[in-house]
Amino acid sequence: INMLEQVLSFGRSLVRKKVVDLSSLEDSKLCRCLGTVDLIALGVGSTLGAGVYVLAGEVAKSNSGPSIVISFLIAALASVMAGLCYAEFGARVPKTGSAYLYSYVTVGEIWAFITGWNLILSYVIGTSSVARAWSGTFDEMIGGHIEIFCKTYFSMNSPGLAQYPDFFAVCLILLLSGLLSFGVKESAWVNKVFTSINVLVLLFVIISGFVKGDTHNWKISEESLINVTIVTRNLSVMANVSSDYGVGGFMPFGFSGTLAGAATCFYAFVGFDCIATTGEEVKNPQRAIPIGIVVSLTVCFLAYFGVSAALTLMMPYYLLDEKSPLPMAFEYVGWGPAKYVVAVGSLCALSTSLLGSIFPMPRVIYAMAEDGVLFKALAQINPKTKTPLIATMTSGVVAAIMAFLFDLKALVDMMSIGTLLAYSLVAVCVLILRYQPDGALGRRAGTGERDYLSSEEGESDLTESESHLNMLKGGSSALQTVLHPPVSPSEHSSSVVNMSICLLVLVVCVVSYLTTYHIGSILGMEVWILALLTVCLLIFSICVFMVCRQPQTSKKVSFMVPLLPFLPILSVFVNIYLMVQLSGDTWIRFSVWMAVG
């Protein structure tokens, strides 16, 4: 019996939720010194990384051609959906810890730990890959001397490791961690300077692109593409050639190409969640965090949109260079020296996105250590600088070691699993939270958290046998709840919502799997798969209908997600679909990391 009790209490500790005391928001151990502008600069800086300078060329050449503008539009809509969910949480629970805290408040400890563990992973990988990219870009600017030197003296040829250890990246990471442990204000200031240089360079690129651009590049005919293919492949003119570069026009690879491009572009908008980790360092978090998230996503979208439009207007999409599209485009239109401006801009962009991935990491670690999920020592705060010093330094050192040794191409996909998982969880949490009975979040704020937990356990012991009886009685009343929902949310209505959301997520997983791996049999109109899809759609629509019928909480906050049940559900759908698209070995590595946790 004792054993059983232990198992039960362990189970309860896995699903216990954190109670946030909304009255004591003001007293924070961290320094409240950031304004809305700082948040916007932080978000824009960490989102507009080097992606602007590279990604547009890659996607336009291989996936979507000039319709890359549409790809960015779709990707931006998808990430704005995730962003709105983050923004509502930022208004409801303005504390440190981003998605980790949000899932702790709504779905319980085990999910919170999984989320936090993944966030740490994706930030560490993000930091080390950006640092390597920085040293690579710098190296290209001065002519590749560092790489040649390192390869001759320190080459490492074992699989999984990089070709040579990157000393430069290590120094860079340690330098920035040092800056962050000096204080938030200083690092926000540095970040503002770099972000503004970056934005100015992008404006220059956009304006020059529209000045030197030629709309003919958006209407390339198929004949000219076939001629180009013949020239590049040295084929005879008589042979029946299909072009290598699609059919020309605005969407050379069809709409599916545009969508495939959008899936890649989605990762260009990752990074705004670092705003959500600053909850305890902002002067007026409940207003500043939502504004910061929405504005920075808008700015990023405009920048991506402008740069990709300028790029495809300046030169035909099939001539774009995949490694460094912008300098090549400027040489193509005859503005050679402009490439130095672009190089400066890209170094600034890399610096801000490095700051943006080092910045949230210690915050999440600090929040987890505060709750006792990680080692307590990590939660110490330096009284002078008011920053989580030990957490900052540990995360910096780990990231530096990774940048020093590993080959990061393989790990970047793992990072995207972590991010997508966090996004989906936050969207689900918003749904659950909206349909919970009023005051479920901040109730019993007077008593301490421990009393709250113990009283909860006491109640549940009593009512276990009763609850079975209640369940029999409750069968009929649950049906009534579904058909004639009450006016204000009750325990019943919220449990109906939770059940339907779980079903929804399962259905979405199945549909994504089928549409990704069995696309041939769908196009072949095979009976089994069509039947499966119709069943899935039926369940899906029933669930959505059930959720729509239930009442929402009456508690208003400064920012609410619009179009409630549909927007988060759509967001979950997009995220899970993108997760299924990733390769299998990524998932194997991911499960290894989870097992370590």
Side-chain angles (χ1 to χ4, degrees), residues 57-363:
E58 258 178 59
V59 177
K61 185 168 187 177
S62 50
N63 290 337
S64 50
S67 69
I68 180 174
V69 241
I70 311 283
S71 298
F72 270 122
L73 182 66
I74 299 171
L77 287 176
S79 38
V80 161
M81 288 191 291
L84 291 175
C85 298
Y86 267 97
E88 168 160 344
F89 259 115
R92 275 183 198 271
V93 196
K95 301 284 252 189
T96 289
S98 146
Y100 156 73
L101 175 77
Y102 303 158
S103 44
Y104 202 165
V105 170
T106 42
V107 285
E109 190 164 314
I110 176 82
W111 283 106
F113 176 72
I114 290 178
T115 316
W117 194 233
N118 285 333
L119 279 177
I120 293 175
L121 168 78
S122 55
Y123 289 140
V124 168
I125 292 175
T127 306
S128 28
S129 58
V130 170
R132 269 208 109 105
W134 205 105
S135 69
T137 314
F138 183 72
D139 203 20
E140 257 174 52
M141 268 172 75
I142 59 174
H145 295 302
I146 303 179
E147 187 175 354
I148 297 164
F149 177 78
C150 285
K151 271 190 180 160
T152 35
Y153 293 103
F154 307 103
S155 69
M156 306 186 288
N157 289 333
S158 50
L161 295 181
Q163 289 172 321
Y164 59 93
D166 202 332
F167 295 103
F168 202 75
V170 174
C171 302
L172 200 68
I173 292 181
L174 294 179
L175 194 114
L176 277 177
S177 314
L179 171 74
L180 274 173
S181 41
F182 253 96
V184 189
K185 211 163 190 163
E186 291 75 13
S187 35
W189 187 82
V190 173
N191 182 44
K192 269 194 281 201
V193 173
F194 277 144
T195 305
S196 40
I197 297 176
N198 181 12
V199 170
L200 285 175
V201 171
L202 289 179
L203 274 175
F204 164 73
V205 170
I206 293 170
I207 293 168
S208 55
F210 287 131
V211 172
K212 300 288 283 184
D214 179 9
T215 45
H216 174 70
N217 287 337
W218 278 16
K219 312 191 278 277
I220 301 171
S221 64
E222 192 169 1
E223 289 79 56
S224 58
L225 283 176
I226 291 180
N227 293 340
V228 171
T229 310
I230 291 172
V231 172
T232 45
R233 286 209 200 162
N234 308 329
L235 300 169
S236 64
V237 184
M238 298 310 292
N240 183 13
V241 187
S242 65
S243 103
D244 283 357
Y245 307 105
V247 292
F250 185 61
M251 286 194 184
F253 300 99
F255 192 64
S256 58
T258 311
L259 273 180
T264 317
C265 295
F266 181 79
Y267 299 119
F269 289 98
V270 166
F272 63 85
D273 52 339
C274 71
I275 297 181
T277 55
T278 58
E280 291 184 25
E281 284 149 302
V282 190
K283 282 168 194 151
N284 180 1
Q286 282 161 316
R287 196 178 134 259
I289 292 179
I291 293 179
I293 289 179
V294 176
V295 172
S296 60
L297 277 175
T298 319
V299 171
C300 293
F301 164 64
L302 289 175
Y304 282 125
F305 189 86
V307 169
S308 50
L311 197 61
T312 44
L313 281 173
M314 273 203 277
M315 65 196 286
Y317 67 92
Y318 56 84
L319 293 177
L320 287 173
D321 183 62
E322 284 181 7
K323 287 254 170 61
S324 51
L326 284 169
M328 299 299 279
F330 276 120
E331 272 175 28
Y332 180 84
V333 294
W335 287 12
K339 67 180 179 191
Y340 294 110
V341 179
V342 172
V344 169
S346 64
L347 281 185
C348 283
L350 280 165
S351 313
T352 55
S353 69
L354 191 57
L355 246 177
S357 59
I358 297 182
F359 184 82
M361 194 161 38
R363 307 283 180 284

